[in-house]
Amino acid sequence: MVSTSDALDSLIEEFSKLPQIGRKTAQRLAMYITRQPREEVEKFSRALLETKDKLKFCSVCCNITEDEVCRICSSSKRSSNVICVVEEPQDVFAVEKTNEFKGLYHVLHGIISPLDGIGPNDIKISELLIRLGKENGQRVEELILALNPTVEGETTILYLSKLLRPLDIKITRIARGIPIGSDLEFADEVTLAKALEGRVTV
Amino acid sequence: MILKKIVLKNFRNYDKQELIFNDKFNFIYGNNGQGKTNILEGISYSAFGKSFLGSAEADCVRFGENEFHIESEFENDLENIDHIVISYSLNPRLKSIHRNKEKVTALSSEIFGRYPMVYLSPKSLSITYGNPSDRRKFFDILISQASRLYLDHLREFAKILKQKNALLKNYSVYKKYTYKELRDLLSSYNEKFSEVSAQIIFRRLNFLKEFKSYFEKNFSFLLLQNHKGYINYNSDVFGEITTGSDTADTDFIRNKLGKHIEETADEEIARAITLSGPQRDDYVFRLNKTESGSSREINLKEAFEIKYFASQGEHKTFVVALKLAEYDYLKDKKSTSPVLLLDDVLSELDENRVSKIISHLKDYGQIFLTTTGKNYNDNLKQFYSEEEISVFKIDNGKTVE
């Protein structure tokens, strides 16, 4: 293949490094950029750099934010006695969309997985411990572990619950089971078995 | 279940070959190395999404080509046709499965177990001759075909085992954690490990309990003498468990295994590997030849272990009985006759046993039989009419008749 522009080549190369983007999509995106007016491209590249420069971790919950303390943690409308522990910032978006949770979050930025070389010190567990140990402010009464029901999520839940047990805080995990609006017959066996296990009295 | 047809493209030594099969009997013959087994392997891809011989996909691509395709049509008892396409390309390495034109994402729920199939070949003898892993594999595939939950548990278990071994290795080789961190993490993994292990062991024991009658029926069918075969389960935590004895519940297994793992944790850490669990368990085949012992419960010691003491003939009887029991069991579980693949069994497995099967062929559904000689065809004529037999002569990756 003979290339006609090194600049274009390197742009395609960069695009194809993005998750879910293959070679062909990368080419299409790069060609789209070449056809845009200069201002648009400037705006785009500025947005990229600003995200990188301005974003940092909230000093309380470790979510990504531009401020020292993120908008959720500094809001007076949120109750600080319940903390929902999630794996990634996008999980915060997911829970926020429900509009049902009024407590605070803690973002671990990963999950314990020895295979990937990720241990307890590689994710924000020590930050959580410090946060729970702090005497100022309201006491935390409940910790909700909203981790994914994967092998890694499950074992991280077990590890955290052992670690936090001495703190005398109520520790819960989100329920597993049948999606709302779906039929039992479409549920896979493991989900159905877990749903049976976690049945509740009506 | 009936396999109506298969199209092999660039698969093994096939360039492009379409085969339309008979609903009853398919007689495939040809000299060695012409591609008889390759057809059966192609069939196994359609039913399981992988080769029953355990070959890598890359090895199945015809020499010099980049990808293979296998198209097949299964017809169920309600005469609905399922169209399955398996494609694999070497560069980029990509495998895709389509069922009725829709891409299959979850192999376990959409393909595996849907088209029950039993494969008997001389290689099946590894079930009694071979390693514990051969036996676990045989039973795992069998139980998984009948229970998706079991298959899902196996997968989850494989992940936990990998993670746990990585954890032990990260500590002993790379010193990634302090000893306390390791113990805390290890106990979390062990808790999950025991939970899933208990599910697997419980299901294996329950399966054996159910499978027992299927096996005994076929075993006595193949044997003239009043011998009895037994299948027991052996694990280093529970010892040898006689099939049919009251099965412990999952909580019992979980607690006992969990306790054992806690007690042996130091050794696991020192050796940096998981030492006990269903991945190490074994099935023990025993044969009782004392004629009088047929009615009373026998002492384990009276029945000798096939693996160490059986003659070649006894090995073969055991394996054929296991396979026929697999057939009957799947037939009941799936409420449809599995497809029976008999690969080169006439020459390698004792002909008396095989002819016993042949004489009962009418009890089985669709059959594929490969052999080197054409002669056997004549024997079949007493059981099948002309229309019920299709004959395929294979010559160097082509059918010539």
Side-chain angles (χ1 to χ4, degrees):
Chain A
M1 193 183 90
V2 180
S3 128
T4 49
S5 155
D6 288 347
L8 184 61
D9 275 359
S10 73
L11 183 61
I12 295 171
E13 190 60 37
E14 291 307 320
F15 271 129
S16 65
K17 284 181 193 164
L18 300 177
Q20 311 274 316
I21 304 287
R23 194 80 205 165
K24 274 193 179 142
T25 315
Q27 274 174 18
R28 209 173 304 141
L29 291 172
M31 290 315 293
Y32 174 80
I33 296 287
T34 60
R35 287 190 289 268
Q36 293 304 298
R38 191 181 160 86
E39 316 68 274
E40 283 301 312
V41 180
E42 262 174 13
K43 229 195 267 174
F44 183 56
S45 65
R46 211 162 38 235
L48 288 176
L49 278 176
E50 275 178 7
T51 346
K52 196 64 212 165
D53 291 343
K54 289 194 180 159
L55 285 190
K56 53 186 169 194
F57 293 149
C58 165
S59 62
V60 181
C61 71
C62 302
N63 199 356
I64 41 174
T65 177
E66 289 182 24
D67 314 306
E68 182 58 28
V69 175
C70 78
R71 283 169 207 168
I72 294 175
C73 290
S74 54
S75 161
S76 57
K77 292 190 183 116
R78 315 283 301 209
S79 53
S80 57
N81 56 353
V82 187
I83 295 179
C84 177
V85 181
V86 296
E87 283 178 40
E88 299 291 346
Q90 55 264 40
D91 298 330
V92 173
F93 298 144
V95 181
E96 277 301 285
K97 266 202 286 188
T98 65
N99 263 327
E100 288 297 321
F101 181 65
K102 295 287 168 245
L104 301 181
Y105 293 93
H106 189 86
V107 183
L108 292 176
H109 289 279
I111 195 97
I112 298 173
S113 169
L115 267 182
D116 302 304
I118 301 170
N121 299 328
D122 301 308
I123 59 178
K124 308 284 182 196
I125 289 180
S126 52
E127 284 81 351
L128 178 65
L129 285 176
I130 294 168
R131 188 175 168 190
L132 293 173
K134 266 187 194 157
E135 284 301 318
N136 55 349
Q138 224 174 334
R139 198 189 123 70
V140 176
E141 279 160 16
E142 184 180 357
L143 208 60
I144 304 169
L145 302 178
L147 306 183
N148 291 322
T150 57
V151 164
E152 292 74 27
E154 298 278 311
T155 40
T156 304
I157 287 174
L158 286 170
Y159 177 76
L160 283 175
S161 64
K162 280 197 175 76
L163 193 68
L164 301 171
R165 203 167 293 153
L167 295 181
D168 194 29
I169 298 172
K170 182 181 172 193
I171 300 169
T172 56
R173 55 171 300 165
I174 52 169
R176 296 165 291 186
I178 309 298
I180 302 293
S182 98
D183 274 353
L184 280 193
E185 59 169 326
F186 293 128
D188 69 279
E189 279 84 343
V190 175
T191 307
L192 203 50
K194 287 288 175 202
L196 276 174
E197 201 182 288
R199 67 187 181 276
V200 289
T201 327
V202 289
Chain B
M1 194 59 63
I2 306 286
L3 177 64
K4 298 298 265 188
K5 72 165 201 181
I6 196 164
V7 183
L8 304 171
K9 281 183 203 157
N10 294 328
F11 181 79
R12 294 283 189 185
N13 65 338
Y14 290 90
D15 159 21
K16 182 173 193 269
Q17 182 70 55
E18 184 182 76
L19 296 155
I20 310 283
F21 295 123
N22 197 298
D23 288 5
K24 290 285 174 192
F25 202 93
N26 295 280
F27 187 82
I28 301 166
Y29 79 103
N31 290 328
N32 287 321
Q34 302 303 313
K36 300 187 294 292
T37 300
N38 296 346
I39 293 179
L40 301 190
E41 192 176 31
I43 293 174
S44 79
Y45 263 105
S46 315
F48 299 137
K50 52 182 149 192
S51 163
F52 49 45
L53 297 175
S55 6
E57 275 89 5
D59 298 339
C60 295
V61 180
R62 185 176 146 93
F63 191 72
E65 299 290 339
N66 183 45
E67 52 188 68
F68 73 69
H69 292 273
I70 301 170
E71 283 178 52
S72 47
E73 278 176 12
F74 284 98
E75 184 188 86
N76 69 12
D77 296 357
L78 302 168
E79 300 189 347
N80 294 325
I81 298 273
D82 266 5
H83 187 84
I84 308 284
V85 181
I86 315 263
S87 307
Y88 175 83
S89 77
L90 280 174
N91 188 24
R93 271 181 199 260
L94 211 63
K95 181 171 159 183
S96 71
I97 303 177
H98 287 79
R99 178 167 164 260
N100 298 333
K101 307 228 156 122
E102 273 182 54
K103 197 172 164 70
V104 170
T105 46
L107 190 66
S108 65
S109 55
E110 292 179 74
I111 299 285
F112 201 88
R114 193 181 276 266
Y115 314 105
M117 197 168 272
V118 173
Y119 175 67
L120 178 62
S121 88
K123 282 188 182 156
S124 306
L125 285 170
S126 68
I127 299 170
T128 57
Y129 271 117
N131 301 316
S133 62
D134 294 310
R135 283 180 282 282
R136 283 194 304 267
K137 193 176 164 200
F138 168 69
F139 284 109
D140 280 348
I141 292 176
L142 171 50
I143 306 170
S144 303
Q145 282 194 73
S147 160
R148 259 187 244 164
L149 198 52
Y150 182 76
L151 181 61
D152 286 324
H153 282 309
L154 277 184
R155 286 197 171 155
E156 195 183 9
F157 177 78
K159 268 194 213 157
I160 298 166
L161 183 63
K162 259 191 186 167
Q163 288 282 18
K164 184 181 162 183
N165 283 335
L167 175 74
L168 292 166
K169 203 172 160 204
N170 285 351
Y171 175 76
S172 76
V173 181
Y174 307 110
K175 302 279 169 228
K176 274 203 74 138
Y177 327 102
T178 64
Y179 183 73
K180 177 163 187 318
E181 275 171 348
L182 170 79
R183 288 309 291 249
D184 287 348
L185 281 167
L186 191 59
S187 81
S188 309
Y189 274 93
N190 281 343
E191 200 169 308
K192 190 78 193 152
F193 184 90
S194 310
E195 180 195 321
V196 182
S197 295
Q199 288 290 342
I200 291 174
I201 296 173
F202 176 73
R203 273 158 222 284
R204 284 179 180 171
L205 292 175
N206 265 346
F207 161 79
L208 283 180
K209 216 171 175 179
E210 217 179 334
F211 190 65
K212 190 182 162 150
S213 61
Y214 292 94
F215 175 71
E216 282 173 359
K217 186 192 125 217
N218 281 291
F219 193 71
S220 56
F221 160 68
L222 291 168
L223 271 184
L224 293 169
Q225 303 101 315
N226 196 12
H227 293 175
K228 238 181 141 187
Y230 298 88
I231 311 170
N232 293 335
Y233 190 76
N234 193 22
S235 92
D236 56 349
V237 181
F238 301 95
E240 187 169 332
I241 304 169
T242 320
T243 305
S245 55
D246 277 329
T247 315
D249 64 1
T250 45
D251 284 343
F252 175 80
I253 300 173
R254 179 182 177 165
N255 292 337
K256 191 160 179 190
L257 181 66
K259 203 165 157 249
H260 178 86
I261 294 173
E262 274 315 307
E263 282 164 4
T264 50
D266 287 328
E267 205 187 336
E268 288 198 323
I269 294 168
R271 291 173 60 182
I273 188 101
T274 305
L275 292 173
S276 36
Q279 82 287 3
R280 296 229 165 179
D281 292 351
D282 196 4
Y283 297 82
V284 186
F285 302 132
R286 289 184 180 273
L287 183 64
N288 183 25
K289 291 214 252 187
T290 50
E291 302 276 334
S292 59
S294 55
S295 59
R296 67 190 167 92
E297 268 309 305
I298 57 129
N299 183 336
L300 270 182
K301 300 232 163 54
E302 282 178 52
F304 67 80
E305 203 175 331
I306 294 278
K307 193 177 170 190
Y308 302 114
F309 303 108
S311 70
Q312 296 222 25
E314 285 162 344
H315 269 282
K316 287 171 184 171
T317 306
F318 220 91
V319 170
V320 176
L322 277 172
K323 281 287 169 180
L324 295 183
E326 177 184 16
Y327 185 94
D328 291 341
Y329 177 81
L330 285 176
K331 187 177 174 181
D332 277 0
K333 284 283 161 186
K334 295 291 179 185
S335 320
T336 180
S337 295
V339 175
L340 184 59
L341 308 175
L342 302 171
D343 191 9
D344 208 15
V345 289
L346 298 178
S347 53
E348 294 283 335
L349 293 174
D350 183 297
E351 197 153 335
N352 283 330
R353 292 178 188 92
V354 177
S355 44
K356 266 200 159 164
I357 307 175
I358 302 275
S359 65
H360 282 74
L361 281 179
K362 282 286 179 191
D363 298 344
Y364 300 100
Q366 190 186 28
I367 299 177
F368 293 80
L369 183 130
T370 72
T371 177
T372 42
K374 196 190 173 183
N375 304 340
Y376 223 86
N377 197 6
D378 299 331
N379 290 7
L380 296 169
K381 293 212 171 106
Q382 30 178 327
F383 307 110
Y384 290 106
S385 65
E386 198 76 17
E387 310 82 73
E388 287 177 327
I389 306 179
S390 294
V391 178
F392 303 89
K393 185 182 182 199
I394 307 297
D395 190 11
N396 200 11
K398 282 197 167 31
T399 50
V400 288
E401 254 170 62

